[in-house]
Amino acid sequence: MRKQNKFFLILILLSFQYSKAQDSLTLSAQEFIAVVKNYHPLALKYQLQNKMAQTEVTKARGGFDPVLGGKLGEKNIDGTQYYRQKNLELGIPTWYGIDLTAGYQHLEGEKLNSSDTKGGLYSMGITVPLAKNLLYDKRRAILDQAKFAIKMTEAEQTVLTNELLLEAENTYWEWVQSFEIYLLQSKAVNINKKRFSLTQKTFEYGERPAIDTVEAGSQLQSFEIQQKEAYLNFIRNTQKLQLFLWKDNQEIYEMAKLIYPANQLSDHTAYSDFEFLLQEMDTKKIDTHWSVLYYDQKHHILESERRLKWQSFLPKLDFTYNFFNKENYKADYLPLFDSNFQYGLKLEIPVFQREARANYQMAKIKIEQNQLDTQVKKRELHTKIETYKNELVNYHAQINLSKNNLVNYQKLLTAEEIRYTNGESSLFLINSRENKMIDAQEKFISLQTKFLKSFNKLKWMKESFSL
């Protein structure tokens, strides 16, 4: 499995390193998410939580493991052997609180107690709780809670992993946004360089006043400043993106050279798929969200704890019976209370039940708190879903309006340039039109990013439903 992961990483890195040209690195959203999902330390940490929960179940099952014990002992004073013993015992705990025992004891000596049996003695016994711990006990509670914790951890791991992937994907599209704004500003700089050069020539020919060269130069300098700021923002977002890039063995992926996005904001399938996503979200039930299922499993754990605390109200009444058979004697089991037996009945009753009442009340309060947390989480999820849906629809409508607005700004700029050529306008008006055009293009890019981020929020919210 580890070799497969290494091979998978090599394929991804090669694919985004040489996808366009050998001297430029590009990274697609799909490749980026795959790297995050398979190699980010937090994603791996969440997977380890599931393994830890499964280990807790194995640990809880250890409470039902048979226990084999042995004992050797001797006492000798002034050459007198008081006793010499060999004991071997096997204890078998069962699911219903009943404990089974089997053992062998060999005892000899000159100063044995009158209750001791000399020689070899086989025994078989059983201890049965008649009140407390009969229907439920700590061993069963720990195992039940460990099983519920597996599903609880799975729910938490799914939600946290999806949140990590959502953050990563939105970081990617913010990175694409900063790159497209940088390209936009670079294009504006190139256009204004040509315009400034042309204005200088027309001034030299005496066709334009000197003030036009100042106007063109100021516009160029303004766009050069914006270009540098856009490039700096792109570098910042590249560094943010790098925080999500890891290699095998949790090594940071160091970039040898600057990388560029392989995707464009306008290429995303969200523009055609968002309506299907909205319809699909309408079919989802809040109760099936992993965050709610987390609280459901927590409720089962708290309910198990409540059942265990309730046992403390019952008197501790344990019945123990042991059957004995001396070595080299024929076993005679029946009747049970005729010979070769030992039994005991132990009773314990707390007089005031203060600890029991307090523990039980605390267990009930925890259940009530969890129910309130569940209601808050359901409300929070419902509000988030509705917010994301409204954002998605609204941003899509704004994008359509912004497209039309861009067309109109382009027409105004083109018309102003024609008027300027005909001597009916000024360079100041062209720059004013161009500034509004650039602002509108930046806003359009920003709207596309907001739309995609809202789409991703709803998409990863959908992934957090179990059904």
Side-chain angles (χ1 to χ4, degrees), residues 447-464:
L447 283 173
Q448 286 181 307
T449 306
K450 290 178 180 179
F451 173 80
L452 294 183
K453 289 173 70 173
S454 295
F455 179 85
N456 290 333
K457 290 176 184 177
L458 204 58
K459 179 185 72 174
W460 287 111
M461 177 70 76
K462 177 181 73 71
E463 294 297 324
S464 294

Side-chain angles (χ1 to χ4, degrees), residues 160-174:
L160 290 176
T161 301
N162 288 342
E163 288 178 353
L164 172 65
L165 296 178
L166 168 62
E167 182 183 359
E169 188 166 5
N170 281 345
T171 300
Y172 178 87
W173 291 111
E174 287 174 357

Side-chain angles (χ1 to χ4, degrees), residues 89 106 291 350:
E89 185 178 54
H106 188 274
S291 294

Side-chain angles (χ1 to χ4, degrees), residues 283-348:
T283 64
K284 298 295 183 181
K285 296 182 179 179
I286 294 296
D287 290 341
T288 62
H289 193 277
W290 280 110
S291 294
V292 178
L293 295 178
Y294 171 90
Y295 286 104
D296 288 344
Q297 297 305 317
K298 186 178 180 180
H299 173 79
H300 292 318
I301 292 175
L302 294 175
E303 181 62 25
S304 169
E305 189 68 18
R306 185 199 64 80
R307 289 177 59 194
L308 180 63
K309 298 303 181 184
W310 186 83
Q311 291 293 312
S312 299
F313 289 112
L314 301 176
K316 184 175 176 58
L317 181 61
D318 296 340
F319 172 74
T320 301
Y321 179 88
N322 291 291
F323 170 78
F324 302 107
N325 185 54
K326 296 188 69 176
E327 191 174 15
N328 300 323
Y329 279 73
K330 182 181 179 181
D332 187 12
Y333 298 103
L334 299 174
L336 294 177
F337 293 95
D338 188 17
S339 63
N340 300 327
F341 72 92
Q342 179 189 31
Y343 82 89
L345 198 62
K346 183 179 179 180
L347 175 64
E348 293 180 3

Side-chain angles (χ1 to χ4, degrees), residues 47 81 158 191 196 217 221 233 264 434 460:
Q47 295 173 17
Q81 187 181 66
T158 302
I191 291 173
F196 179 65
Q221 290 172 351
N233 191 43
Q264 296 179 354
E434 187 177 41
W460 287 111

